[in-house]
Amino acid sequence: MGPSHHAVKPSKNSGHTHYIVFGNRPRYTSIEITCEEGSYVPYLDLRDYLDRLEQAGKLKRITKPVEADWEISAVGRVAFRDIPESTRPALLFENVDGSDIPVTLGILGGSRQIYGLALEVEPTPQAITTAWRKAGDSPIPPITVEEGPVKDTILKGDQADVTVFPVPTWTVGEDPGPYLTAPYVVTKDPETGAHNVGTYRTQVKEPRKLGVWINFVQDGRKHVEMWEEREKPTPVAIVLGSEPTLGLCSVSRVPYGVEEYAMAGGLRREPIEIIPAETVDLMVPARAEIVIEGYFRLGELEEEGPFGEYTGYMGPVAQSYVMDVTCITHRSKPIYQAFLSQMPPSESSMIRSIGRESAVAKNLIDNLRLPVIDVHLLEASGAASYMAIRGRWEHEGQSRQAILGAWTVDPTLGKICVAVDEDIDIRDPFALNWALSFRMQPDRDVFQVPGYPAVRLDPSQADESVPQLDTSRRLSTKMGVDATKKHTYPPIAFPPSDHIERVRADWAAYWGI
Amino acid sequence: MGPSHHAVKPSKNSGHTHYIVFGNRPRYTSIEITCEEGSYVPYLDLRDYLDRLEQAGKLKRITKPVEADWEISAVGRVAFRDIPESTRPALLFENVDGSDIPVTLGILGGSRQIYGLALEVEPTPQAITTAWRKAGDSPIPPITVEEGPVKDTILKGDQADVTVFPVPTWTVGEDPGPYLTAPYVVTKDPETGAHNVGTYRTQVKEPRKLGVWINFVQDGRKHVEMWEEREKPTPVAIVLGSEPTLGLCSVSRVPYGVEEYAMAGGLRREPIEIIPAETVDLMVPARAEIVIEGYFRLGELEEEGPFGEYTGYMGPVAQSYVMDVTCITHRSKPIYQAFLSQMPPSESSMIRSIGRESAVAKNLIDNLRLPVIDVHLLEASGAASYMAIRGRWEHEGQSRQAILGAWTVDPTLGKICVAVDEDIDIRDPFALNWALSFRMQPDRDVFQVPGYPAVRLDPSQADESVPQLDTSRRLSTKMGVDATKKHTYPPIAFPPSDHIERVRADWAAYWGI
């Protein structure tokens, strides 16, 4: 089946064919209602997904004219600070700098509810982790198509100009200029042709010149190094805006060797449609909003940054890849997508926390067969420094085995790693602190592992005068805290649950409402 | 000036005389408006204070009939769990067990806002701590009066029956029966006559027999031991319901030698009116709702408990003092007051956290002259196990000096004690965890002090088979965490504050509201 600009196409999900109508698709009507297996329909593209968000009350259109060079960042920040997660919508700025290109943010990580909508699962840790684990077990390779709306407009050579897009500036006064925060950067292995998709901070330097920082633990870097070994410039395509699963894969730590295109297919339970780029030998999503094509200059690095990072501090000035733009293709009336980054809570800490905790949970549950119920990377830690593991422990020390197991998945994560019992909701800071308060004795239950890979960009390691990318910063000490019960405990001092339920059921009578 | 049942009495606060009219007193009208010094009027009694709570929207009358033996505890718990602190009211159950004695709870620690109303100050940590520190510096001794409404009804001998009051049962299925949770237990030093007022768990055993557990670190215990040395039964009076400051003093750790009556006078800036008890040689508040008089049996202890404790676990069965009731006096139509206790968040953890953190702040700021801004005992820790200190540190190591200073005020508190910089709001778990994430290196910044007084009733210390009051449980290890910046840091990645303010000021325009 080829790609389609039509409003109607047959779906092949449910065993029987049914039709998809844009804007009015037969999807479940509220996130409270579980999607029935037979009625599942993946999002076709960004627009389709935005329709769904709006229908669910999770997209706020902002018509007031705004400026990209300060206002989008400030409005996004206020939304994240002042609106509780449960009601926080994604944002669509319809009037940016007088351009007709709208800017959307928060559509993947505006909240856990939005993340659930992106994956089309209930927004529970269990459902989300299960979706990731299933996708990891059953990736679906992309299918190649011959035409797609990303080719509506093709701008080559001098015609290509990244600055026509209203790219925001984020940490105004610190960042050197506008940054793409939600680029899905596509590279490929020159030997096998396997594609990688990753999100790296990308500075807009000139109309046809970008600075892209890929750090040493990120898979895209391996590809670049392979091209450099062959003394060839690295072909690159930057995707901006697609159906939501590709973005979720792009920011997550998908194991090397698993293509994000296939992982996204696994998540959406239908293949991603890809199409050849125009000027580089790479495949790009046929229904993306915007694709920027080009090459990383061979053997050349250039200063890029600093940039406001997920830690809540300014990240380093880096020597980064220099991308020369050869072509831009985009849909008619493209929509520009960004992630709200910087200080947590932010969209990027939300997305990363969910993706990373699913990867850790998968290792602990599927590989190590530990009785783990939930893994959480606290957003307050930029989804990096502080991890908690909840388990139904079966014997002594198993909680510590889980801590060590977690540290092996991505050894930079979890400078603090706390294990708790099954009755503790690790997503509730109150419950987690209660466990630390009454299930932990410091001398018995706190242990450290020195010389272990450090949380990236952790400013507590050394003075600012030590460059943030100095190799001396690559190691630090991990602290494990076993806040599980090590012996029998007195009963919990709480009313019987049937009393609580009875009162809740009759609350209106008590409260006179 | 004698006591008064009249609705109008002259006030001596403001330098000029003005009149107090019950139910319509010239107090500030909203907790947002700071009380002007000249217009300050202390609460006369519990009723006056309930009026004020109701006027501020902080008292919910529950008219539905409820049962004391399970329902008050369950309704209170649901209110604490399901209603956010900012809107949570105190409760007044008007129809309990068909009796005409109403039960109120949450009136001191239903929320920080309510606590502020009790003290008649803004509900900020700074204002509350300042009120406590001022009261500590300028206690006002009580004045003796000749009559008072607490004598409206006097019941001696067989007429006295504690079980006529609708005393709730709290942890149903675990507690052995109903418990007074808000008794203000008055004892005196047989030598100096100095009175102590403290709140101890008190089991209603029989109509004229109570079990009172005073643990070894509590001041009332010293008094009892002095009476026992003299081979005399200890005279005791249990106050139930008064103007609010006495209750706040009763649950706080007022230094030995400072009378709670005088401390309460300092807090309310006017003396407490006291009056002799009927059958014991003690002074009691003249405007209390209920006073139970009696004696602790000489040299006799009896099993009492277990009781659902502030840790969230069942506390021990204790060998406790046995109080024989000799007399009950009460106002006409008395109101029975209780604290919601057990698992945090609860009223008692809220009250204790505020009182205790004020005591620690006073030591650090006034005595040690440390640049401390705020001290917080996390409610999740039962206001005991987990402490945080915020400071404007002036030189290296000062943050650790503050941690050690805090551990010396009440050495049982702060099994975990974290010091942070001035920009961290220690009352926001997100901010505290952010500081732990990016301003702390475990090997450099975490230190332990073994063999220090333990958090009372901490079940993590030993197996349940080791009695909770075993002396082996009196010591444990403290853990200090210095989560302050130890060197220069990169700038914070956050929009300029004037951008945030500008957006907030214009929010309606962005949001289309």
Side-chain angles (χ1 to χ4, degrees):
Chain A
M1 190 182 63
S4 164
H5 291 242
H6 316 314
V8 177
K9 78 162 194 179
S11 161
K12 47 192 153 26
N13 283 303
S14 52
H16 59 92
T17 299
H18 64 267
Y19 290 88
I20 303 162
V21 181
F22 286 155
N24 185 25
R25 300 172 64 190
R27 216 175 255 118
Y28 57 101
T29 54
S30 124
I31 57 167
E32 282 73 39
I33 299 165
T34 304
C35 171
E36 284 174 39
E37 196 63 34
S39 71
Y40 176 81
V41 178
Y43 303 109
L44 201 59
D45 52 21
L46 180 68
R47 291 144 196 240
D48 185 27
Y49 176 55
L50 291 176
D51 278 351
R52 175 68 189 116
L53 284 176
E54 188 156 34
Q55 186 189 333
K58 291 291 182 191
L59 185 72
K60 180 76 185 174
R61 291 177 188 269
I62 293 178
T63 54
K64 176 172 164 33
V66 293
E67 289 165 22
D69 64 359
W70 72 275
E71 211 168 359
I72 287 176
S73 171
V75 172
R77 180 57 51 185
V78 171
F80 266 76
R81 285 264 153 160
D82 295 357
I83 305 174
E85 196 200 321
S86 59
T87 56
R88 191 188 301 142
L91 307 180
L92 183 66
F93 296 91
E94 297 190 315
N95 191 348
V96 184
D97 289 341
S99 117
D100 60 356
I101 303 174
V103 174
T104 189
L105 64 76
I107 64 170
L108 297 186
S111 68
R112 204 163 281 267
Q113 287 80 359
I114 288 175
Y115 194 102
L117 282 166
L119 278 184
E120 300 197 70
V121 300
E122 291 298 298
T124 63
Q126 287 68 27
I128 289 171
T129 298
T130 301
W132 276 100
R133 289 166 56 205
K134 278 190 185 168
D137 290 340
S138 318
I140 299 177
I143 53 167
T144 301
V145 296
E146 281 162 20
E147 48 180 31
V150 71
K151 306 294 189 185
D152 284 351
T153 299
I154 299 175
L155 301 162
K156 291 186 183 170
D158 286 349
Q159 282 194 296
D161 180 354
V162 176
T163 64
V164 304
F165 301 113
V167 181
T169 300
W170 299 96
T171 308
V172 177
E174 301 288 349
D175 290 353
Y179 264 80
L180 313 180
T181 51
Y184 312 150
V185 179
V186 183
T187 54
K188 77 172 180 182
D189 181 321
E191 225 161 79
T192 66
H195 283 57
N196 188 76
V197 185
T199 294
Y200 319 113
R201 70 186 209 191
T202 298
Q203 182 184 350
V204 177
K205 295 183 156 191
E206 294 172 19
R208 297 179 60 204
K209 180 178 159 189
L210 305 174
V212 182
W213 183 42
I214 310 183
N215 79 56
F216 72 99
V217 297
Q218 290 169 321
D219 291 342
R221 175 107 158 203
K222 291 187 192 160
H223 285 176
V224 182
E225 285 165 357
M226 292 166 99
W227 285 98
E228 302 254 324
E229 273 169 27
R230 285 161 179 74
E231 299 198 341
K232 287 184 179 165
T234 306
V236 187
I238 293 181
V239 178
L240 293 162
S242 75
E243 60 68 49
T245 63
L246 185 61
L248 296 178
C249 292
S250 181
V251 295
S252 301
R253 212 56 59 94
V254 172
Y256 190 78
V258 178
E259 284 194 307
E260 283 80 6
Y261 282 148
M263 190 71 160
L267 281 175
R268 69 199 293 269
R269 295 174 258 172
E270 193 167 291
I272 296 270
E273 293 173 348
I274 54 173
I275 192 167
E278 297 297 309
T279 59
V280 290
D281 185 19
L282 290 168
M283 301 301 289
V284 297
R287 294 182 169 279
E289 291 294 322
I290 299 163
V291 171
I292 303 169
E293 306 177 5
Y295 290 92
F296 287 161
R297 290 184 191 168
L298 178 61
E300 194 175 328
L301 299 173
E302 203 178 82
E303 194 168 280
E304 167 275 322
F307 181 68
E309 283 285 356
Y310 76 98
T311 57
Y313 296 97
M314 293 306 298
V317 173
Q319 293 298 318
S320 299
Y321 298 122
V322 185
M323 177 174 171
D324 290 312
V325 175
T326 52
C327 178
I328 293 174
T329 74
H330 66 75
R331 295 180 68 144
S332 300
K333 299 190 177 175
I335 300 167
Y336 178 84
Q337 187 204 341
F339 294 142
L340 185 76
S341 184
Q342 310 165 288
M343 174 80 73
S346 74
E347 178 171 21
S348 64
S349 58
M350 169 72 73
I351 302 174
R352 267 202 319 274
S353 94
I354 299 173
R356 289 174 173 181
E357 61 202 28
S358 294
V360 174
K362 184 169 167 57
N363 182 52
L364 299 181
I365 298 168
D366 295 347
N367 302 343
L368 301 178
R369 303 285 166 187
L370 289 167
V372 163
I373 299 169
D374 194 14
V375 174
H376 184 44
L377 277 156
L378 278 66
E379 263 204 270
S381 77
S385 279
Y386 193 157
M387 178 153 43
I389 304 171
R390 174 186 184 188
R392 195 178 293 111
W393 312 111
E394 290 154 348
H395 52 75
E396 292 81 355
Q398 202 177 38
S399 44
R400 297 177 193 214
Q401 186 188 358
I403 292 174
L404 267 55
W407 281 337
T408 62
V409 177
D410 177 339
T412 69
L413 301 179
K415 178 169 73 180
I416 306 165
C417 188
V418 180
V420 299
D421 297 307
E422 63 176 313
D423 61 332
I424 303 297
D425 177 3
I426 52 179
R427 291 156 193 283
D428 176 357
F430 196 95
L432 186 58
N433 284 333
W434 182 65
L436 287 173
S437 295
F438 296 116
R439 296 193 184 167
M440 184 277 297
Q441 286 287 316
D443 52 345
R444 183 188 64 200
D445 299 326
V446 178
F447 58 98
Q448 302 196 353
V449 177
Y452 212 73
V455 172
R456 283 188 49 251
L457 306 181
D458 180 351
S460 64
Q461 284 192 288
D463 190 87
E464 201 192 359
S465 61
V466 180
Q468 289 196 36
L469 301 177
D470 197 89
T471 51
S472 68
R473 290 184 182 253
R474 291 194 180 173
L475 298 180
S476 81
T477 294
K478 296 274 191 259
M479 179 166 76
V481 182
D482 184 1
T484 64
K485 290 186 275 194
K486 277 108 205 150
H487 47 251
T488 59
Y489 263 56
I492 295 282
F494 199 78
S497 51
D498 61 312
H499 288 182
I500 295 291
E501 283 159 26
R502 203 166 143 189
V503 166
R504 281 197 176 125
D506 213 13
W507 192 246
Y510 292 106
W511 224 244
I513 47 174
Chain B
M1 190 181 65
S4 165
H5 292 243
H6 315 316
V8 175
K9 78 162 191 178
S11 161
K12 45 189 155 26
N13 283 301
S14 53
H16 57 94
T17 300
H18 64 265
Y19 291 90
I20 302 162
V21 181
F22 285 156
N24 184 23
R25 297 174 66 193
R27 218 176 254 115
Y28 56 102
T29 54
S30 122
I31 56 168
E32 281 73 39
I33 298 167
T34 306
C35 172
E36 284 173 41
E37 197 62 34
S39 71
Y40 177 81
V41 178
Y43 303 110
L44 200 60
D45 53 20
L46 180 69
R47 292 145 196 238
D48 186 27
Y49 177 53
L50 291 176
D51 278 350
R52 175 69 189 115
L53 285 176
E54 188 157 34
Q55 184 190 336
K58 292 291 181 190
L59 184 73
K60 181 76 188 175
R61 291 176 187 272
I62 294 177
T63 54
K64 176 174 164 33
V66 294
E67 290 165 21
D69 65 359
W70 72 275
E71 210 168 359
I72 287 176
S73 171
V75 171
R77 181 58 51 186
V78 170
F80 265 76
R81 285 265 153 163
D82 295 358
I83 304 174
E85 196 201 321
S86 59
T87 56
R88 192 188 299 141
L91 307 180
L92 182 67
F93 296 91
E94 297 190 317
N95 191 347
V96 184
D97 289 342
S99 119
D100 59 358
I101 302 175
V103 174
T104 188
L105 63 78
I107 64 168
L108 296 186
S111 68
R112 203 162 281 266
Q113 287 80 358
I114 289 175
Y115 194 103
L117 282 166
L119 279 185
E120 300 197 73
V121 299
E122 292 296 298
T124 63
Q126 287 69 27
I128 290 170
T129 298
T130 300
W132 276 100
R133 288 167 56 206
K134 278 190 184 167
D137 290 339
S138 317
I140 299 178
I143 53 169
T144 301
V145 296
E146 282 161 21
E147 48 182 28
V150 72
K151 308 293 189 185
D152 283 351
T153 300
I154 299 175
L155 302 162
K156 293 187 183 170
D158 285 350
Q159 282 194 296
D161 180 354
V162 177
T163 63
V164 302
F165 302 111
V167 181
T169 300
W170 299 96
T171 308
V172 177
E174 302 288 349
D175 290 353
Y179 264 81
L180 313 181
T181 51
Y184 311 150
V185 179
V186 182
T187 54
K188 76 171 180 184
D189 181 322
E191 225 160 81
T192 66
H195 283 58
N196 187 75
V197 185
T199 294
Y200 319 114
R201 69 186 211 193
T202 298
Q203 183 183 349
V204 177
K205 295 182 156 189
E206 293 173 18
R208 296 179 58 206
K209 180 176 159 191
L210 305 174
V212 182
W213 183 43
I214 310 183
N215 78 57
F216 72 99
V217 296
Q218 290 169 322
D219 291 340
R221 176 108 157 205
K222 291 188 193 158
H223 285 177
V224 182
E225 285 165 358
M226 290 165 101
W227 285 99
E228 303 255 321
E229 273 169 28
R230 284 159 180 74
E231 298 197 340
K232 287 184 177 163
T234 306
V236 187
I238 293 181
V239 178
L240 293 163
S242 75
E243 60 66 50
T245 63
L246 185 61
L248 296 178
C249 292
S250 181
V251 296
S252 300
R253 209 61 56 92
V254 172
Y256 189 78
V258 178
E259 284 194 309
E260 283 78 7
Y261 282 148
M263 190 70 157
L267 281 175
R268 68 198 292 271
R269 294 175 259 172
E270 194 167 290
I272 296 271
E273 293 174 348
I274 55 174
I275 192 167
E278 297 298 310
T279 59
V280 290
D281 184 17
L282 290 169
M283 300 301 290
V284 297
R287 296 183 167 280
E289 293 293 323
I290 300 163
V291 171
I292 304 169
E293 304 176 7
Y295 290 90
F296 288 160
R297 290 183 193 168
L298 179 61
E300 195 176 327
L301 298 173
E302 203 179 80
E303 194 168 281
E304 167 276 325
F307 181 68
E309 283 284 356
Y310 76 99
T311 57
Y313 296 97
M314 292 307 296
V317 173
Q319 294 299 317
S320 300
Y321 298 122
V322 185
M323 177 173 168
D324 290 312
V325 176
T326 52
C327 177
I328 292 175
T329 74
H330 65 76
R331 297 181 66 142
S332 301
K333 301 192 177 173
I335 300 167
Y336 178 84
Q337 187 204 341
F339 293 141
L340 183 75
S341 187
Q342 310 164 290
M343 174 79 74
S346 75
E347 178 172 17
S348 65
S349 58
M350 169 73 72
I351 302 174
R352 268 202 318 274
S353 95
I354 298 173
R356 288 174 173 181
E357 59 203 27
S358 295
V360 174
K362 184 169 167 56
N363 182 51
L364 299 182
I365 298 169
D366 295 347
N367 302 344
L368 301 178
R369 304 284 167 187
L370 288 168
V372 163
I373 300 169
D374 194 15
V375 173
H376 184 45
L377 277 156
L378 277 67
E379 262 204 271
S381 77
S385 279
Y386 193 157
M387 177 153 42
I389 304 172
R390 175 186 183 188
R392 195 178 293 112
W393 312 112
E394 289 153 352
H395 51 76
E396 292 81 354
Q398 203 176 37
S399 45
R400 295 178 194 214
Q401 187 189 358
I403 292 174
L404 266 56
W407 281 338
T408 62
V409 177
D410 178 339
T412 69
L413 301 179
K415 179 168 72 179
I416 307 166
C417 188
V418 180
V420 299
D421 297 307
E422 62 175 314
D423 61 332
I424 302 298
D425 178 3
I426 52 180
R427 292 157 192 283
D428 175 358
F430 196 95
L432 187 58
N433 284 333
W434 182 65
L436 287 173
S437 294
F438 296 117
R439 297 192 183 169
M440 183 276 296
Q441 287 287 317
D443 52 347
R444 183 188 64 199
D445 300 324
V446 178
F447 58 97
Q448 302 195 355
V449 177
Y452 212 73
V455 172
R456 286 189 47 250
L457 306 180
D458 180 353
S460 63
Q461 286 193 288
D463 191 87
E464 200 191 1
S465 62
V466 180
Q468 289 195 35
L469 302 177
D470 197 89
T471 51
S472 69
R473 289 186 183 251
R474 290 196 181 173
L475 298 179
S476 82
T477 295
K478 295 273 192 262
M479 177 165 75
V481 182
D482 183 1
T484 64
K485 291 187 274 193
K486 278 106 204 152
H487 47 250
T488 59
Y489 263 56
I492 296 281
F494 199 76
S497 53
D498 61 313
H499 289 181
I500 295 291
E501 284 159 24
R502 201 166 144 189
V503 166
R504 281 196 175 126
D506 212 14
W507 191 245
Y510 293 105
W511 224 244
I513 47 175

